[in-house]
């Protein structure tokens, strides 16, 4: 929220006693661009972290406090985005554990959305009639510290195996109401190309399934995972949408933009879901910048999520009013299609509901007074009549075979 400035009289930082920190330029290009190299060389310990950044005491404590019960992994790519000196860096905050994760006493559960109740088979979360989640794995390139599905992703025990995915596909095939499936987990792009395409092929053979969404943070944390070839193959199963997860403008790099462009250029639209993270992106200026950066790359802001009540991520949660005032700031100052929908996923499995600023000021008979984004009041007058039936509706629906 605040811009930190270094006073001109401040002493220069001490000269490092150990080897200089790694930077993107330290790694040969050919390795850097190889996603398998990135994945194999993920940072999983304090020692490895210290090769990229000057690890702060709160991070040392955080890693030590959490290592027994949760995984940490950071791709060299994502680490290269970190500010080496400032532990408040948004990339560091999202990827490096803090002690608050284990000292969380207010959020009561690791499954606040009651997903387990809707897991009719292990690979499926089916809450809404027409759409379902297909959990394809429990693996991600980076384990986000705010992950709401940490009960799966942070441990290696909760594993989702091939049988579970197969059963999930069967479940969808036998449930004609499902027209929209979200491949998630975990991360859809943690599957190999071969496995992902094979899965898409099987899903496309289900006649009632119309929409496929790939939910992945790879463009943000492992952009080299996306090749033009993969994008082209995925396009073959259209309509497929990619849903990704940028939270901060610092994540919208040239590489990340390129990964998304491969999909978009081949006809796979890319949508973005952000989560409000206290002290990381809870600022109207930052969300404004993020949305501008996204639409410049043709990525559409879809949801802005209020944090879920997940045990272990309470320190990231903000009051509902913060999202409302961010939305207030966006409206009128940025194109309507660049504004995400602010939603809260209701605890207990109620699903997502939108909330936000109220623009209706008062009603005076048939006149409704609204305020605009500048706070000025304008009156809209209702028509003197009510609504009418749509006589052509029956005809049209019959033409579409829905009569
Ligand atoms: C979020 C979610 C979906 C998808 O919701 P949309 O509003 O269609 O993006 C589907 N199933 C579950 C369980 C979800 O949590
Ligand atoms: S990529 Fe998604 S599923 Fe994986 S850890 Fe991050 S938020 Fe959780």
């Amino acid at each position: 929220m605040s811009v930190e400035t270094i006073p001109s009289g401040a002493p220069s930082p001490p000269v490092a006693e150990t080897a200089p920190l790694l930077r993107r330029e330290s790694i040969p290009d050919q390795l850097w661009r190889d996603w398998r190299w990135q994945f194999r060389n993920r940072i999983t310990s304090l020692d490895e972290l210290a090769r990229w950044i000057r690890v702060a005491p709160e991070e040392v404590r955080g890693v030590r406090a959490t290592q027994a019960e949760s995984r940490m992994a950071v791709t060299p790519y994502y680490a290269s985005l970190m500010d080496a000196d400032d532990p408040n860096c948004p990339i560091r905050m999202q990827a490096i554990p803090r002690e608050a994760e284990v000292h969380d006493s207010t959020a009561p559960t690791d499954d606040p959305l009651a997903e387990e109740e809707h897991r009719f088979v292990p690979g499926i979360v089916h809450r809404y009639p027409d759409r379902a989640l297909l959990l394809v794995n429990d693996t991600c390139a980076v384990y986000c510290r705010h992950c709401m599905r940490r009960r799966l992703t942070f441990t290696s025990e909760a594993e989702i195996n091939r049988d579970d995915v197969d059963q999930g596909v069967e479940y969808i095939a036998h449930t004609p109401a499902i027209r929209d499936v979200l491949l998630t987990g975990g991360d859809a792009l943690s599957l190999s190309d071969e496995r992902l395409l094979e899965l898409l092929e099987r899903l496309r053979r289900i006649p009632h399934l119309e929409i496929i969404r790939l939910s992945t943070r790879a463009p943000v944390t492992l952009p080299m995972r996306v090749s033009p070839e993969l994008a082209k193959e995925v396009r073959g199963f259209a309509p497929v949408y990619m849903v990704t997860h940028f939270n901060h403008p610092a994540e919208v790099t040239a590489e990340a933009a390129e990964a998304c462009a491969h999909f978009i250029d081949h006809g796979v639209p890319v949508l973005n879901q952000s989560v409000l993270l206290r002290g990381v992106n809870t600022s109207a200026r930052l969300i404004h910048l993020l949305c501008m950066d996204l639409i410049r790359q043709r990525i559409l802001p879809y949801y802005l999520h209020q944090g879920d009540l997940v045990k272990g991520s309470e320190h990231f949660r903000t009051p509902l009013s913060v999202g409302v005032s961010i939305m207030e700031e966006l409206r009128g100052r940025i194109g309507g299609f660049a504004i995400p929908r602010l939603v809260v996923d209701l605890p207990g499995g109620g699903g997502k509901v939108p909330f936000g600023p109220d623009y209706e000021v008062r009603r005076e008979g048939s006149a409704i007074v609204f305020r605009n984004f500048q706070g000025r009041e304008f009156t809209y007058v209702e028509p003197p009549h009510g609504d009418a039936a749509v006589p052509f509706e029956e005809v049209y629906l019959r033409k579409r075979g829905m009569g």
Side-chain angles (χ1 to χ4, degrees):
M1 249 173 164
S2 66
V3 180
E4 294 207 342
T5 50
I6 300 162
S8 53
S12 49
V15 179
E17 289 157 353
T18 50
L21 294 175
L22 289 174
R23 292 179 310 133
R24 188 243 168 280
E25 292 75 25
S26 321
I27 316 287
D29 229 38
Q30 173 195 348
L31 294 179
W32 190 259
R33 289 167 186 273
D34 177 355
W35 73 267
R36 291 175 196 279
W37 181 89
Q38 291 276 349
F39 207 88
R40 268 200 310 274
N41 287 280
R42 288 185 304 165
I43 294 149
T44 57
S45 70
L46 279 172
D47 285 348
E48 291 168 329
L49 208 48
R51 301 182 65 197
W52 288 90
I53 58 169
R54 280 175 260 278
V55 183
E58 60 265 44
E59 292 168 325
V60 173
R61 288 196 303 271
V63 172
R64 292 204 174 126
T66 56
Q67 62 196 2
E69 59 184 52
S70 77
R71 327 193 243 204
M72 172 180 83
V74 187
T75 53
Y77 165 80
Y78 203 56
S80 77
L81 307 185
M82 290 176 176
D83 183 303
D85 298 303
D86 195 336
N88 293 323
C89 157
I91 311 295
R92 286 168 69 154
M93 301 273 288
Q94 288 182 75
I96 307 173
R98 297 291 167 94
E99 266 179 310
E101 286 188 30
V102 291
H103 294 156
D104 182 351
S105 54
T106 44
T109 167
D110 61 2
D111 182 25
L113 309 181
E115 290 190 329
E116 295 301 327
E117 278 172 37
H118 297 90
R119 258 177 107 178
F120 300 114
V121 294
I124 290 283
V125 180
H126 190 188
R127 173 164 30 242
Y128 301 103
D130 69 320
R131 53 208 194 276
L133 312 182
L134 178 61
L135 306 175
V136 296
N137 58 37
D138 58 6
T139 310
C140 305
V142 170
Y143 293 107
C144 315
R145 305 325 300 179
H146 55 273
C147 182
M148 66 88 166
R149 213 166 283 134
R150 56 200 289 139
R151 67 188 189 283
L152 300 184
T153 54
F154 278 22
T155 68
S156 45
E157 290 105 59
E159 204 175 315
I160 292 166
N161 58 37
R162 267 173 194 253
D163 279 352
D164 297 333
V165 180
D166 288 349
Q167 262 188 61
V169 175
E170 282 306 300
Y171 178 91
I172 296 166
H174 290 110
T175 314
I178 299 178
R179 298 155 65 123
D180 177 355
V181 66
L182 286 79
L183 271 53
T184 183
D187 193 307
L189 289 186
S190 295
L191 299 174
S192 66
D193 286 11
E194 190 189 20
R195 179 96 180 95
L196 175 65
L197 296 171
E198 177 211 350
L199 188 55
L200 290 176
E201 210 170 294
R202 284 168 54 207
L203 289 169
R204 263 296 159 246
R205 271 189 245 124
I206 302 173
H208 56 263
L209 189 63
E210 295 174 1
I211 308 292
I212 299 175
R213 297 189 242 178
L214 297 183
S215 186
T216 174
R217 212 179 182 201
V220 184
T221 56
L222 183 67
M224 39 299 280
R225 174 68 189 86
V226 183
S227 65
E229 294 74 29
L230 174 64
K232 194 170 166 215
E233 296 267 18
V234 168
R235 168 66 172 90
F237 300 99
V240 181
Y241 290 78
M242 199 186 77
V243 185
T244 192
H245 179 176
F246 290 92
N247 286 329
H248 194 282
E251 295 170 331
V252 190
T253 64
E255 285 106 317
E258 192 188 334
C260 294
H262 291 324
F263 277 113
I264 299 164
D265 289 349
H266 283 95
V268 178
V270 176
L271 310 176
N272 186 67
Q273 309 201 21
S274 302
V275 188
L276 286 170
L277 299 172
R278 177 168 168 264
V280 177
N281 66 359
T282 39
S283 129
R285 285 171 71 187
L286 285 174
I287 297 293
H288 185 164
L289 256 181
L290 173 64
C291 293
M292 291 300 290
D293 287 350
L294 291 174
I295 55 166
R296 211 178 289 121
Q297 304 301 339
R298 297 173 290 163
I299 303 163
L300 289 170
Y302 176 38
Y303 279 143
L304 180 61
H305 288 272
Q306 172 68 15
D308 295 320
L309 278 80
V310 191
K311 193 173 182 61
S313 63
E314 274 294 273
H315 55 298
F316 283 125
R317 216 150 59 87
T318 58
L320 291 159
S321 60
V322 172
V324 175
S325 57
I326 291 175
M327 296 301 286
E328 183 86 56
E329 292 284 321
L330 294 180
R331 179 63 58 193
R333 291 177 184 86
I334 181 172
F337 73 103
I339 301 182
R341 302 149 180 83
L342 178 66
V343 288
V344 55
D345 221 329
L346 297 174
K352 297 176 189 67
V353 292
F355 67 109
D358 191 357
Y359 292 94
E360 188 181 314
V361 180
R362 62 186 176 275
R363 279 173 186 257
E364 294 160 355
S366 67
I368 294 124
V369 181
F370 290 97
R371 65 183 176 86
N372 76 350
F373 70 101
Q374 298 150 317
R376 292 165 59 207
E377 293 188 358
F378 297 87
T379 303
Y380 181 89
V381 180
E382 295 271 35
H385 45 253
D387 195 22
V390 183
F392 196 70
E393 181 183 356
E394 288 292 316
V395 181
Y396 177 74
L397 291 180
R398 222 174 300 123
K399 284 186 187 186
R400 287 201 57 171
M402 298 164 80

